[in-house]
């Protein structure tokens, strides 16, 4: 059956990085609110964007466009074809209309809190509190601007927190305290805003992402650093219970005239190690340094011999590989006529990468130009997922090792996984807890608009999720 426009209010609760195996299976019985939605509504695993990274996944979900059409391929993107220029994909990078923009043009008002890439703040129909990319101390983090003062009153003068100060820390007790404080403030503000007149409401809670990265090794026996009986073994489960209770209180406020969705942009899995991409490229003879560093440093601090370098890489939960193409990069050496063949050669080389014991990692690599409808701005030449995302990519150079188990940006226990969660519930109808298969996050935007009774723009080409 195909979902039809209801013209009712829609509330979307976004839990960044919420993992389907934890919500749907492992802890379902301990999460009474989510369990009720799963039992009464419909649900399924939601395939993330390629790459499965917060930026661009949320923007892709809410615009219905793929990352190539959006023109950003992760947090950091090449500004131009120079060797140095990288920029952060902030809200200013999002040129496409997202759900609340489309709904606003149809006369619908929205409440939006914490959705990634909403800073810098843009005018909209309704009320908005910006996201974790908001700079510390920013004055203009709300729409309308005077909403900032209202939030200050709601929080009794305490500062609103867009994110925890540092989730890659060894001070786990402090991180836990910071997470609970941040989350409680966000839901308190949301309760206040939902008393305003609105048609579409959405919040994204970043705490679910931060606690995965900070504590996954403490709960998962598959992780190499897991120690049974450690004091933080239940930290993630207890936090999920806490968020479940906050969601329950929220739903009690909105009543049964509101369709509810719970979504995440990607999932999570234990991080087994880090693959040093630039060390590997040096070993392959594809990256040449004029002088090898004595200590581990970012590649940007090394002097690269570009006249003899074919490829360099950027690290993160996935790797971006950039080719030094003749006539494109300042000192390019790969002839354009050989570009496609070189893409294929690199994919094969990456597929053959191994772990520290010489076993195949299961690495995959994709060329943006081959998977997106178009590639706006400057995509990487390849996006690489080491060990199918069980390993992260480390871009630093020094030490001579291809495999490492320390992260160059601080302690981090988890990597992203391909599937997040999708749950939809109509409080007025029992949908029977049916499980949906084959969902992809670009389907969410047209599904929301259809539920709101707003025409779906022709740019949103993914099919509406047949949830009813």
């Amino acid at each position: 059956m195909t979902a039809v426009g209801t013209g009712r209010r829609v509330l979307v609760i976004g839990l960044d990085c919420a993992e389907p195996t934890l919500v749907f299976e492992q802890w379902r019985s301990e999460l009474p609110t989510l369990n009720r939605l799963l039992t009464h509504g419909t649900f399924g695993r939601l395939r993330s964007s390629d790459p499965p990274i917060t930026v661009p996944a949320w923007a892709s979900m809410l615009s219905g466009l793929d990352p190539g059409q959006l023109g950003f391929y992760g947090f950091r993107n090449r500004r131009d074809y120079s060797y140095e220029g990288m920029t952060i994909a902030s809200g200013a990078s999002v040129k496409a209309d997202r759900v609340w923009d489309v709904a606003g043009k149809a006369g619908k008002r929205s409440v939006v809190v914490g959705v990634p890439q909403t800073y810098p703040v843009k005018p909209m129909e309704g009320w908005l509190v910006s996201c974790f990319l908001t700079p510390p101390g920013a004055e203009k983090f709300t729409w309308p601007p005077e909403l900032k003062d209202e939030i200050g009153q709601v929080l009794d003068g305490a500062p609103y927190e867009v994110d925890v100060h540092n989730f890659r820390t060894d001070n786990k007790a402090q991180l836990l305290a910071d997470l609970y404080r941040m989350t409680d403030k966000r839901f308190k503000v949301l309760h206040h805003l939902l008393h305003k007149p609105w048609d579409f409401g959405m919040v994204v809670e970043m705490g679910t992402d931060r606690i995965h990265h900070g504590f996954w090794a403490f709960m998962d026996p598959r992780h190499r650093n897991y120690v049974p009986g450690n004091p933080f073994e239940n930290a993630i489960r207890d936090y999920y219970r806490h968020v479940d209770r906050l969601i329950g209180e929220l739903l009690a406020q909105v009543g049964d005239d509101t369709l509810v969705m719970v979504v995440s942009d990607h999932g999570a899995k234990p991080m087994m190690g880090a693959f040093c991409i630039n060390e590997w490229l040096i070993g392959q003879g594809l990256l040449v340094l004029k002088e090898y560093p004595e200590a581990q440093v970012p590649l940007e601090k090394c002097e690269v011999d570009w006249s003899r370098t074919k490829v360099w890489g950027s690290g993160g939960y996935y790797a971006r590989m950039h080719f030094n193409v003749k006539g494109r990069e300042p000192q390019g050496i790969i002839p354009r006529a050989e570009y496609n063949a070189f893409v294929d050669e690199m994919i094969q080389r990456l597929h053959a990468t191994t772990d520290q014991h010489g076993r195949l990692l299961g690495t995959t690599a994709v060329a943006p130009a081959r998977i997106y409808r178009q590639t706006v701005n400057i995509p990487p030449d390849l996006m690489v997922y080491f060990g199918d995302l069980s390993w992260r990519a480390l871009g630093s150079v020094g030490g001579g090792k291809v495999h490492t188990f320390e992260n160059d940006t601080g302690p981090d226990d988890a990597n992203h996984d391909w599937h997040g969660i999708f749950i939809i519930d109509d409080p007025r109808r029992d949908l029977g807890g049916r499980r949906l298969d084959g969902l992809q996050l670009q389907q969410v935007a047209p599904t929301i608009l259809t539920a709101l009774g707003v025409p779906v723009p022709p740019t949103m080409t993914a099919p509406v999720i047949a949830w009813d």
Side-chain angles (χ1 to χ4, degrees):
M1 190 182 305
T2 301
V4 296
T6 64
R8 291 166 60 189
R9 297 200 306 190
V10 176
L11 176 64
V12 179
I13 299 167
L15 303 176
D16 196 286
C17 197
E19 165 57 30
T21 57
L22 302 181
V23 176
F24 296 166
E25 298 161 17
Q26 191 170 339
W27 297 335
R28 177 171 174 171
S29 64
E30 303 176 46
L31 307 171
T33 305
L34 292 174
N35 186 37
R36 175 166 55 82
L37 298 180
L38 290 166
T39 303
H40 190 261
T42 56
F43 69 99
R45 299 197 312 158
L46 188 67
R47 176 57 158 81
S48 185
S49 59
D50 206 323
I53 303 294
T54 297
V55 173
W58 286 108
S60 184
M61 181 193 295
L62 296 166
S63 69
L65 303 182
D66 67 40
Q69 293 172 298
L70 289 166
F72 43 85
Y73 307 86
F75 282 105
R76 297 173 73 239
N77 297 269
R78 293 184 76 181
R79 183 181 59 216
D80 50 37
Y81 283 111
S82 68
Y83 298 117
E84 300 85 14
M86 300 287 282
T87 60
I88 299 292
S90 70
S93 305
V94 185
K95 309 300 183 187
D97 282 347
R98 284 174 278 186
V99 166
W100 57 86
D101 300 310
V102 179
K105 292 175 182 176
K108 304 282 188 180
R109 286 173 291 193
S110 299
V111 167
V112 177
V113 177
V115 178
Q117 292 177 284
T118 49
Y119 187 89
V121 171
K122 300 174 184 175
M124 49 94 73
E125 292 295 329
W127 298 267
L128 182 144
V129 183
S130 63
C131 67
F132 76 107
L133 291 172
T134 306
E139 287 291 320
K140 298 178 180 178
F141 67 96
T142 65
W143 182 265
E146 56 269 25
L147 178 60
K148 177 190 68 172
D149 298 329
E150 201 172 312
I151 289 173
Q153 294 173 7
V154 170
L155 298 178
D156 299 322
Y160 180 76
E161 298 177 57
V162 296
D163 199 357
V164 290
H165 171 63
N166 176 22
F167 67 91
R168 292 192 178 109
T169 175
D170 287 319
N171 190 341
K172 302 302 181 183
Q174 184 63 54
L175 176 57
L176 264 187
D178 292 347
L179 279 166
Y180 277 85
R181 188 183 64 249
M182 172 190 70
T183 300
D184 287 349
K185 285 182 178 180
R186 187 155 14 255
F187 275 81
K188 189 172 184 179
V189 167
L190 188 60
H191 272 284
H192 173 77
L193 293 178
L194 292 182
H195 284 293
K196 297 180 181 293
W198 59 276
D199 303 286
F200 172 65
M202 181 164 184
V203 61
V204 171
E205 176 53 59
M206 288 302 297
T208 34
D209 178 88
R210 299 332 192 191
I211 201 164
H212 286 167
H213 290 298
F215 292 91
W216 196 280
F218 295 93
M219 74 148 186
D220 190 341
R222 296 174 297 173
H223 199 286
R224 61 190 304 276
N225 293 329
Y226 171 74
V227 177
N230 71 78
F232 297 109
E233 188 145 16
N234 293 320
I236 299 178
R237 183 169 67 179
D238 290 343
Y239 178 79
Y240 267 71
R241 289 170 169 168
H242 185 70
V243 171
D244 182 83
R245 182 175 62 78
L246 294 176
I247 295 172
E249 293 171 357
L250 201 65
L251 299 189
Q253 176 182 338
V254 299
D256 68 356
D257 61 340
T258 302
L259 290 171
V260 177
M261 296 184 194
V262 183
V263 298
S264 61
D265 54 336
H266 53 73
K269 65 196 312 187
M271 188 186 296
M272 298 305 187
F275 192 92
C276 303
I277 49 171
N278 287 316
E279 293 283 0
W280 179 79
L281 288 169
I282 290 170
Q284 296 283 309
L286 298 168
L287 169 61
V288 181
L289 303 183
K290 292 183 178 177
E291 185 176 356
Y292 191 80
E294 295 182 0
Q296 190 178 61
V297 296
L299 180 66
E300 292 79 6
K301 294 188 176 180
C302 299
E303 193 171 359
V304 177
D305 184 348
W306 295 110
S307 68
R308 295 192 293 157
T309 289
K310 287 188 172 181
V311 186
W312 77 103
S314 302
Y317 296 124
Y318 73 115
R320 280 99 1 113
M321 290 207 165
H322 317 291
F323 295 177
N324 196 21
V325 179
K326 194 171 185 178
R328 193 183 77 175
E329 274 72 17
Q331 299 178 58
I333 61 172
I334 301 172
R336 283 184 179 273
E338 299 176 11
Y339 179 85
N340 286 327
F342 190 69
V343 168
D344 293 332
E345 177 190 335
M346 285 301 301
I347 289 174
Q348 292 305 313
R349 287 198 196 199
L350 288 160
H351 284 179
T353 52
T354 60
D355 67 10
Q356 71 277 22
H357 302 298
R359 300 171 299 203
L360 282 176
L361 266 178
T363 299
T364 58
V366 294
R370 297 179 181 180
I371 63 171
Y372 298 137
R373 291 174 180 269
Q374 62 183 127
T375 50
V376 176
N377 298 327
I378 303 176
D381 293 285
L382 284 177
M383 300 187 296
V384 188
Y385 311 111
F386 290 105
D388 193 26
L389 293 169
S390 290
W391 290 60
R392 70 168 290 143
L394 195 146
S396 300
V397 176
K401 293 181 180 178
V402 171
H403 308 96
T404 184
F405 302 95
E406 301 296 332
N407 185 20
D408 57 353
T409 55
D412 196 333
D413 292 348
N415 206 345
H416 296 181
D417 207 352
W418 287 109
H419 289 88
I421 65 172
F422 176 84
I423 309 170
I424 185 167
D425 179 55
D426 181 349
R428 295 178 180 172
R429 298 171 54 200
D430 186 354
L431 302 174
R434 183 165 56 99
R435 186 183 286 264
L436 304 171
D437 296 318
L439 305 182
Q440 202 275 339
L441 57 67
Q442 287 179 51
Q443 295 181 257
V444 173
T447 303
I448 293 171
L449 292 173
T450 300
L452 284 168
V454 173
V456 176
T459 53
M460 296 182 182
T461 56
V464 173
I465 296 172
W467 53 269
D468 61 347

